Amino acid sequence: MVAAAVHIETRPTPRFFRRLFQNRLTLLSALLFLALVLIAVLGPVLYPQNPTRPDYAAINAFPSAEHLLGTDNLGRDTLARLMIGLRISLIVAAYVEALNIVLGATLGLLAGFYGGLFDVIVTRIADMLFAFPGLLLAILVAAIFGPAVTEQFGGIGRLLLVAGSLSLVSWPLMARLVRSQVLVLREQEFVTAARSLGANRQWIILRHLVPNTASLVVVASTLDIASVVVNEAVLSLLGLGIQPPDPSIGKMITEAMPFLEANAWQVFFPSAALMLIVLTVSFLGDGLRDASDPSSLT
C-alpha cells in the first residue's frame, strides 16, 4: 500500500500538459522558439549567401531581392549573418544551461539531500559568486582569458569561454533553487516511506528527488535562456564575445550603430531578433512555470 502511494506521488501528471496546451501564449512561444531553432540550423543551408563575403557594389544596401534584409557597412548580407548570429546565441545558451544543469542542479540536489559539510561548502561557494555582479564577473573572465584562448583554440575556444564565463555566474542560482526544493522533498511522506522500506540513498535520489525537481530545472533553465542571450550580446557589444569574422547579434548591433542614419535597418533587424528571442523564451518559461505550479495562475 505504501509502495503504491509512493508511485502515485512521483508519477508525472497529465494535468501539466493539459494546463500547458490551454495556454495559447505558451504554445505560440513554443512554436516561435522551434522556428528560431530551425532557422538557426537550416537557414544558412537554405539561404545561399555567404555571411563573411563582402559585396562592394551593395554597401549599406537596403532590403532587396538579392539581399533580403540588406547589407552592412562592408557589403555583407544581413540575413546570412543574422542566422549565424542566432545559431551562436542558441549554442551559447544551450551550453550554459547544460553546464547549469550538470553543475548547479547536481550540486544543489546533493547539498540539499546530504547536508552537513558538503552543503556548507556548496552554499559558501554560491554565496561568494553571488557577491560579484554577475555580468561583471563574466566580463572579467572573458577579458583575462579571451586573447589566449582565441589564439590557442580559435573561434570555438572563444565560444566555449564565453559560455563558460556566463555559466560561472548562473549555476549558483540553479543550485540554490534545487537545494531549496530538495530540502522540502526529503521531508515528504513518500521519501520517508521509501526509507522505511529500506531504499538506499541512491535509489531515493534517482527515483524520487530527480523526477520531482525536473520540472523546476526545466522552467529555471528556460527562463535563464533570455538572460544568457542578452549577456552574450553585451559581451559581444563590448568586444569580449565572439570575434570577427564570426558574426553575433550583439556585434552586428555594435557595428551598425555608426551607420544608423545611412541605413537604420542594419540596427533594427538584429535588435528585433534579439528582442524576439528574449520575449519568446520568457513567455515560454512563464507558461511552463504556470503549468507546473497552478497556484501561480491568476
Side-chain angles (χ1 to χ4, degrees):
M1 188 69 178
V2 175
V6 174
H7 176 73
I8 293 173
E9 184 70 33
T10 59
R11 186 177 57 190
T13 171
R15 287 180 297 177
F16 169 82
F17 298 101
R18 190 159 57 245
R19 289 192 294 265
L20 187 63
F21 292 143
Q22 289 174 348
N23 192 328
R24 295 182 179 179
L25 183 59
T26 302
L27 290 179
L28 177 61
S29 300
L31 292 176
L32 285 176
F33 184 73
L34 179 60
L36 290 173
V37 173
L38 292 176
I39 290 173
V41 174
L42 301 177
V45 178
L46 300 177
Y47 190 66
Q49 295 288 351
N50 190 323
T52 60
R53 185 180 60 195
D55 182 1
Y56 297 112
I59 293 178
N60 273 329
F62 287 89
S64 64
E66 184 177 0
H67 302 285
L68 296 182
L69 298 185
T71 61
D72 63 4
N73 61 299
L74 296 179
R76 297 171 297 189
D77 189 88
T78 298
L79 178 56
R81 292 176 61 78
L82 194 56
M83 288 188 293
I84 297 297
L86 175 62
R87 176 187 293 181
I88 290 176
S89 295
L90 293 179
I91 289 175
V92 170
Y95 185 68
V96 169
E97 296 313 317
L99 289 177
N100 285 347
I101 294 173
V102 172
L103 184 61
T106 301
L107 290 177
L109 189 150
L110 296 178
F113 182 71
Y114 287 103
L117 180 61
F118 184 76
D119 184 24
V120 173
I121 294 174
V122 172
T123 303
R124 292 297 174 265
I125 293 176
D127 291 341
M128 181 180 65
L129 292 175
F130 271 124
F132 290 90
L135 185 58
L136 183 60
L137 183 58
I139 291 173
L140 182 63
V141 172
I144 293 176
F145 299 103
V149 170
T150 303
E151 182 179 356
Q152 185 73 21
F153 300 102
I156 186 63
R158 185 76 181 203
L159 178 65
L160 297 179
L161 175 67
V162 170
S165 62
L166 293 175
S167 178
L168 182 65
V169 300
S170 57
W171 76 260
L173 179 59
M174 177 70 75
R176 180 172 290 184
L177 290 173
V178 173
R179 175 181 175 273
S180 301
Q181 181 80 351
V182 171
L183 288 175
V184 175
L185 289 173
R186 72 178 187 180
E187 305 300 331
Q188 296 297 311
E189 293 181 357
F190 62 89
V191 175
T192 304
R195 285 198 183 101
S196 66
L197 291 173
N200 57 33
R201 292 180 174 181
Q202 291 76 14
W203 173 264
I204 293 175
I205 290 174
L206 296 177
R207 182 65 180 84
H208 301 296
L209 297 185
V210 171
N212 282 283
T213 57
S215 61
L216 172 67
V217 171
V218 171
V219 172
S221 299
T222 305
L223 290 171
D224 192 48
I225 289 176
S227 63
V228 171
V229 171
V230 171
N231 289 338
E232 184 275 328
V234 171
L235 289 177
S236 297
L237 282 168
L238 298 175
L240 299 173
I242 306 304
Q243 298 298 298
D246 297 326
S248 71
I249 295 178
K251 196 69 175 176
M252 290 179 66
I253 298 174
T254 303
E255 294 174 347
M257 286 301 295
F259 307 94
L260 181 61
E261 293 185 2
N263 189 352
W265 291 113
Q266 301 312 305
V267 178
F268 172 78
F269 287 127
S271 300
L274 180 62
M275 182 180 66
L276 180 62
I277 297 172
V278 172
L279 291 178
T280 297
V281 296
S282 296
F283 286 134
L284 179 59
D286 286 340
L288 291 173
R289 181 187 59 194
D290 293 341
S292 62
D293 181 16
S295 63
S296 64
L297 292 170
T298 58

